[in-house]
């Protein structure tokens, strides 16, 4: 989230750029008009039977409105009940009970982490939601050695993993931009951020998983054990099982981060430099970028946390309302490596063609950089500007098509970036080792993540309205389809199975086979609307 995964200093770019000029309003929740096929009586009967189970946690039928909301704040699907598990066996017993009742129970189950889905994917209308943050089980355990790793609960937040592993001088290799997300949530999508060109997404850095399938089985899986389930669950959108535990690869953690931003006026130069940096062996540790349309005063906004290399030149810079492209880079280091790090950075910057007056730099702690978005989110919460609709659109675009995309979208469809930031950066999947996971990417080795991280203003009727942003998103998708750009959605959202088939392409048949094998009654993750009925009825 972004990630992402899904989820970003990008939040600072999101709303400090746009929302701070607007009065806070109560979030406007949309209810989907999708026809509900679950017989309410049967679902209630199933919930009543679940109350007879002996659990370490508990089942709640009251005050469950929180489980009908998510970060997207667009869809609102109330469940009949919420399970608060203490152990993996609470989840297993519950799902096994529903499975053994057969397709007649009609009850669907959604695993909910920290609630950062965008379009109701972790909701279950008239169904059961499992609160994964209640899962306790074994404590987080860090293992050092030649191949260090950490064992964590699927409901654990990445921010907690960061703080615990740092006690041992270690940290995960790949992150999302926002760390207040659960392990199970990001691994069910992929977990993409600016480190993905080096280490792959988060699913590329997992040694082992514990999963509860749609039959209620508790299975341990890895590349060498139950490997089909392991690959299916990673990026599998929760369709084959609920991730209850994960073993995550670690590396030595740096103490400090050199954080750099530069601007470009030409898209071709911007992308050339990005692709050059991700092709190097000795390069930056994080590479991202974002688009700025019709915005002024940007460099002055940066001065609160970044220092210009040449203050006088920076003060003379004028964007003239042009579309600009920001390249954002970091280099990790320890204090005794400062001199060598600065020389490496200087050499890499000399090979780039950015606008010289726009070079801004900062040095921050490793934790401060990784947790940059949370700091921004707290400021927005204080102003009542966090719980608003977030109609985000995340696309994976082949390198060969990204210039065509930019000309049409940044040059014509969008008039400004006042609704939130637009991220754009390339990844090189030749360095990935994810194999036949469920995560779908463009066929080309290098592709771009383009994320439109828009925030709508409740009750607004203008360009900040939810309706206007959704219309804009549709225009972008329609253009991509009509121009045959062969994009893939990240954090995908479709309304029909035909669209899902197109999304998975040649992997659709394998996806269906895995669904039939691990969740034949299609109990899990109904919010994606991939499988509406049991597999025997649909296929």
């Amino acid at each position: 989230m972004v990630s992402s995964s899904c989820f970003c200093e990008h939040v600072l770019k999101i709303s400090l750029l746009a929302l701070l000029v607007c009065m806070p309003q109560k979030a406007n929740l949309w209810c989907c008009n999708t026809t509900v096929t679950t017989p309410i009586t049967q679902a209630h009967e199933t919930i009543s039977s679940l109350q007879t189970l002996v659990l370490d946690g508990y089942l709640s039928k009251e005050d469950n409105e929180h489980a009908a909301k998510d970060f997207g704040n667009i869809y609102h699907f109330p469940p009949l009940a919420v399970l608060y598990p203490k152990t993996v066996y609470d989840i297993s017993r519950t799902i096994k009970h529903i499975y053994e009742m057969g397709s007649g129970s009609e009850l669907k189950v959604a695993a909910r982490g920290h609630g950062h889905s965008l379009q109701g994917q972790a909701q279950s209308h008239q169904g059961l939601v499992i609160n994964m943050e209640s899962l306790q089980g074994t404590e987080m355990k860090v293992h050092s050695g030649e191949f260090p790793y950490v064992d964590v609960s699927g409901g654990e937040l990445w921010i907690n993993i960061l703080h615990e592993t740092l006690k041992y001088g270690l940290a995960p290799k790949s992150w999302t931009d926002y760390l207040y997300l659960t392990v199970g949530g990001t691994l069910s999508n992929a977990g993409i951020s600016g480190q993905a060109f080096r280490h792959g997404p988060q699913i590329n850095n997992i040694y082992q998983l514990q999963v509860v399938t749609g039959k209620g089985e508790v299975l341990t899986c890895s590349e060498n054990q139950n490997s089909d389930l392991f690959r299916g669950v990673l990026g599998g959108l929760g369709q084959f099982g609920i991730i209850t535990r994960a073993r995550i690869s670690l590396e030595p953690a740096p103490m400090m981060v050199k954080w750099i931003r530069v601007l470009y006026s030409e898209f071709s130069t911007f992308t050339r430099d990005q692709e050059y940096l991700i092709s190097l062996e000795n390069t930056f540790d994080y590479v991202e970028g974002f688009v700025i349309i019709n915005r002024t005063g940007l460099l002055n906004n940066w001065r609160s946390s970044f220092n210009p290399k040449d203050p006088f030149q920076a003060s003379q810079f004028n964007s003239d309302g042009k579309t600009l492209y920001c390249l954002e880079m970091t280099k990790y280091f320890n204090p005794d490596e400062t001199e060598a790090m600065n020389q490496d950075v200087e050499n890499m910057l000399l090979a780039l063609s950015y606008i010289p007056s726009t070079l801004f730099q900062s040095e921050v702690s490793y934790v401060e950089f990784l947790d940059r978005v949370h700091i921004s989110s707290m400021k927005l919460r204080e102003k009542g500007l966090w719980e608003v609709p977030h109609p985000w659109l995340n696309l994976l675009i082949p390198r060969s098509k990204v210039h065509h995309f930019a000309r049409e979208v940044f040059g014509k469809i969008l008039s400004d970036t006042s609704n939130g930031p637009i991220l754009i950066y390339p990844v090189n999947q030749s360095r990935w080792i994810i194999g036949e996971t469920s995560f779908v990417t463009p066929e080309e080795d290098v592709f771009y993540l383009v994320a439109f991280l828009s925030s709508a203003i409740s009750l607004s009727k203008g360009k900040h309205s939810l309706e206007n942003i959704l219309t804009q998103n549709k225009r972008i998708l329609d253009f991509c389809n009509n121009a045959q750009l062969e994009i893939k959605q990240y954090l995908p959202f479709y309304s029909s199975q035909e669209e899902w088939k197109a999304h998975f392409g040649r992997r659709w048949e394998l996806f269906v086979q895995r669904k039939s094998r691990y969740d034949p009654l299609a109990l899990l993750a109904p919010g994606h609307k991939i499988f509406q009925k049991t597999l025997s009825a649909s296929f």
Side-chain angles (χ1 to χ4, degrees), residues 219-386:
L219 298 176
T220 298
C221 56
S222 66
E223 281 289 357
N224 300 316
Q225 180 182 8
N226 295 314
S227 59
D228 182 67
L229 178 62
F230 180 70
R231 294 167 185 166
V233 167
L234 294 173
L237 307 177
Q239 294 299 310
F240 314 121
I242 297 173
I243 297 172
T244 52
R245 197 148 191 86
R247 179 169 293 180
I248 303 166
S249 173
L250 303 176
E251 68 177 358
M255 296 178 64
M256 298 294 293
V257 174
K258 183 85 164 184
W259 192 0
I260 302 164
R261 286 177 176 172
V262 294
L263 290 179
Y264 293 77
S265 59
E266 298 294 332
F267 185 74
S268 59
T269 309
F270 167 69
T271 55
R272 184 188 66 203
D273 280 0
Q274 282 191 318
E275 291 170 20
Y276 166 74
L277 289 176
I278 71 167
S279 73
L280 300 175
E281 286 297 326
N282 180 24
T283 186
F284 290 102
D285 296 290
Y286 160 101
V287 174
E288 286 198 8
F290 56 95
V291 183
I292 307 121
I293 303 175
N294 290 336
R295 292 252 323 288
T296 58
L298 185 72
L299 299 189
N300 283 331
N301 291 337
W302 287 355
R303 288 174 188 270
S304 61
S305 53
F306 291 87
N307 297 315
K309 183 174 182 180
D310 187 325
F312 176 76
Q313 278 196 352
S315 68
Q316 302 301 305
F317 176 78
N318 190 334
S319 68
D320 296 323
K322 296 177 182 177
T323 298
L324 298 173
Y325 308 94
C326 175
L327 175 56
E328 186 170 44
M329 306 152 283
T330 68
K331 190 68 175 175
Y332 303 157
F333 69 103
N334 292 315
D336 60 349
E337 304 164 336
T338 301
E339 185 176 347
M341 177 276 299
N342 281 330
Q343 187 59 59
D344 285 344
V345 167
E346 184 67 23
N347 290 339
M348 286 186 284
L349 290 177
L350 286 173
L352 306 182
S353 301
Y354 56 87
I355 302 170
S357 61
T358 65
L359 173 57
F360 278 65
Q361 305 177 78
S362 180
E363 291 185 8
V364 298
S365 72
Y366 185 58
V367 172
E368 185 179 349
F369 172 71
L370 291 181
D371 199 30
R372 62 199 181 280
V373 178
H374 179 63
I375 298 171
S376 302
S377 73
M378 296 304 293
K379 295 177 182 178
L380 296 175
R381 289 182 192 277
E382 291 174 1
K383 298 177 180 294
L385 295 173
W386 182 253

Side-chain angles (χ1 to χ4, degrees), residues 197-222:
F197 76 95
R198 287 176 63 94
H199 300 293
Q202 290 179 322
I203 61 173
N204 199 53
N205 297 278
I206 304 300
Y207 290 143
Q208 182 177 285
L209 298 172
Q210 182 189 68
V211 175
V212 178
T213 70
K215 300 177 184 179
E217 304 165 304
V218 181
L219 298 176
T220 298
C221 56
S222 66

Side-chain angles (χ1 to χ4, degrees), residues 402-471:
V402 74
H403 292 273
H404 187 190
F405 177 90
R407 283 193 300 272
E408 183 67 23
V409 176
F410 305 148
K412 299 176 183 178
I413 294 178
L414 300 181
S415 58
D416 59 47
T417 50
S418 61
N419 289 325
I422 301 171
L423 307 186
I424 178 168
Y425 56 91
V427 293
N428 185 345
Q429 59 183 332
S430 64
R431 301 183 184 182
W432 300 7
I433 53 173
I434 57 177
E436 286 296 312
T437 67
S438 297
F439 179 43
V440 178
T441 64
E443 295 292 335
E444 297 180 13
D445 178 41
V446 175
F447 61 85
Y448 280 76
L449 171 71
V450 182
F452 300 88
L453 307 183
S454 302
S455 297
I457 300 300
S458 301
L459 306 181
S460 171
K461 299 298 182 182
K463 65 179 181 179
H464 298 297
S465 70
L466 178 60
E467 181 182 8
N468 181 68
I469 297 171
L470 290 174
T471 298

Side-chain angles (χ1 to χ4, degrees), residues 85-100:
K86 279 191 176 180
T87 66
V88 64
Y89 298 104
D90 285 347
I91 299 174
S92 173
R93 291 186 192 111
T94 300
I95 294 179
K96 186 175 182 180
H97 181 85
I98 298 171
Y99 175 73
E100 290 179 345

Side-chain angles (χ1 to χ4, degrees), residues 17-186:
L17 302 182
L19 299 180
L20 294 181
V21 299
C22 304
M23 293 297 293
Q25 300 285 347
K26 187 176 180 180
N28 199 18
L29 300 179
W30 278 23
C31 288
C32 182
N33 292 324
T34 304
T35 301
V36 178
T37 58
T38 303
I40 296 178
T41 302
Q42 291 176 324
H44 274 287
E45 290 176 354
T46 304
I47 292 294
S48 296
S49 69
L50 288 176
Q51 292 180 299
T52 65
L53 296 178
V54 177
L55 303 173
D56 296 308
Y58 66 96
L59 190 76
S60 171
K61 294 175 63 178
E62 307 295 334
D63 301 321
N64 293 324
E65 276 299 302
H66 69 282
K69 292 180 62 177
D70 57 28
F71 180 72
N73 226 345
I74 299 172
Y75 294 89
H76 186 201
F77 293 130
L80 289 179
V82 175
L83 173 67
Y84 294 86
K86 279 191 176 180
T87 66
V88 64
Y89 298 104
D90 285 347
I91 299 174
S92 173
R93 291 186 192 111
T94 300
I95 294 179
K96 186 175 182 180
H97 181 85
I98 298 171
Y99 175 73
E100 290 179 345
M101 292 185 72
S103 58
S105 77
E106 295 287 351
L107 192 72
K108 305 297 182 184
V109 181
R112 185 180 192 273
H114 208 49
H116 278 83
S117 294
L118 295 174
Q119 286 119 344
Q121 290 96 332
Q123 299 176 26
S124 182
H125 187 66
Q126 296 295 317
L128 175 69
V129 169
I130 299 177
N131 187 318
M132 295 302 295
E133 289 188 289
S134 297
L135 182 62
Q136 297 176 354
T138 309
E139 293 182 0
M140 194 186 315
K141 290 185 177 179
V142 178
H143 298 259
S144 57
E146 186 178 0
F147 300 103
Y149 62 86
V150 58
D151 277 323
V152 301
S153 164
E156 190 63 79
L157 297 179
W158 286 97
I159 183 65
N160 296 335
I161 297 171
L162 173 64
H163 288 304
E164 182 64 23
T165 56
L166 283 176
K167 296 176 183 178
Y168 300 82
L170 300 167
K173 301 173 183 177
S174 192
W175 298 95
T176 52
D177 287 320
Y178 184 55
L179 303 188
Y180 285 74
L181 306 172
T182 58
V183 168
T186 65

